[in-house]
Amino acid sequence: MNTAVYLGIYASLNRWIPYLTAHVIGYAVSIVCSFLLNSYVTCRTRPTWHGFVRYPLSSLVNLVASGALLYGAVSGLGMDKNLAALAAGVLVTPVSFLLARWAITSGRARTDAVPQAEPVPGRPAAAPLPTRSSQDR
């Protein structure tokens, strides 16, 4: 989803402004969307202002790395700007995920988790998903 938001903004803007400027603007907008989705869906926590401030800082590594890859692919290899942006985004995704999870969850107590839905009256509550323990290995 984050990549789709980024690419939509980037592809729209790079027609009228330099591609690296479009990259930064698209990235900034996608960070806000990504923070909210990662907080609620991936990490199952409520977003906080502390996490919101830390999240873009953790993404700075991603921005610089993807920008460098984008520049190298376009200027050095002559690659299409849109294809280069997609490739750069895919290459830096694993590091980005780890840094994002750290930014959102670091320093939180487990009680900050998003509450689960209440069971429907008359129906049994859903059983928790099994977790892997050291005995299962």
Side-chain angles (χ1 to χ4, degrees):
M1 179 60 96
N2 185 40
T3 303
V5 170
Y6 162 76
L7 284 174
I9 292 170
Y10 170 80
S12 298
L13 292 179
N14 80 12
R15 297 177 190 179
W16 299 288
I17 62 177
Y19 69 93
L20 287 176
T21 304
H23 170 67
V24 171
I25 293 170
Y27 200 83
V29 172
S30 71
I31 282 178
V32 174
C33 295
S34 178
F35 170 73
L36 294 172
L37 285 170
N38 275 317
S39 292
Y40 283 117
V41 178
T42 305
C43 297
R44 291 182 165 61
T45 62
R46 290 186 184 115
T48 63
W49 285 109
H50 182 69
F52 183 71
V53 169
R54 198 166 40 193
Y55 190 81
L57 294 175
S58 73
S59 298
L60 186 59
V61 172
N62 187 321
L63 176 64
V64 171
S66 61
L69 289 170
L70 175 63
Y71 178 78
V74 172
S75 298
L77 302 175
M79 191 181 247
D80 175 71
K81 295 184 292 189
N82 293 330
L83 183 59
L86 179 61
V90 168
L91 289 173
V92 298
T93 295
V95 172
S96 177
F97 170 75
L98 294 173
L99 289 172
R101 186 174 63 183
W102 167 83
I104 292 170
T105 62
S106 181
R108 287 184 175 259
R110 288 198 173 268
T111 58
D112 288 347
V114 175
Q116 299 299 317
E118 294 294 320
V120 176
R123 290 191 181 168
L129 294 174
T131 58
R132 191 170 184 185
S133 69
S134 60
Q135 295 172 350
D136 293 341
R137 293 183 190 158

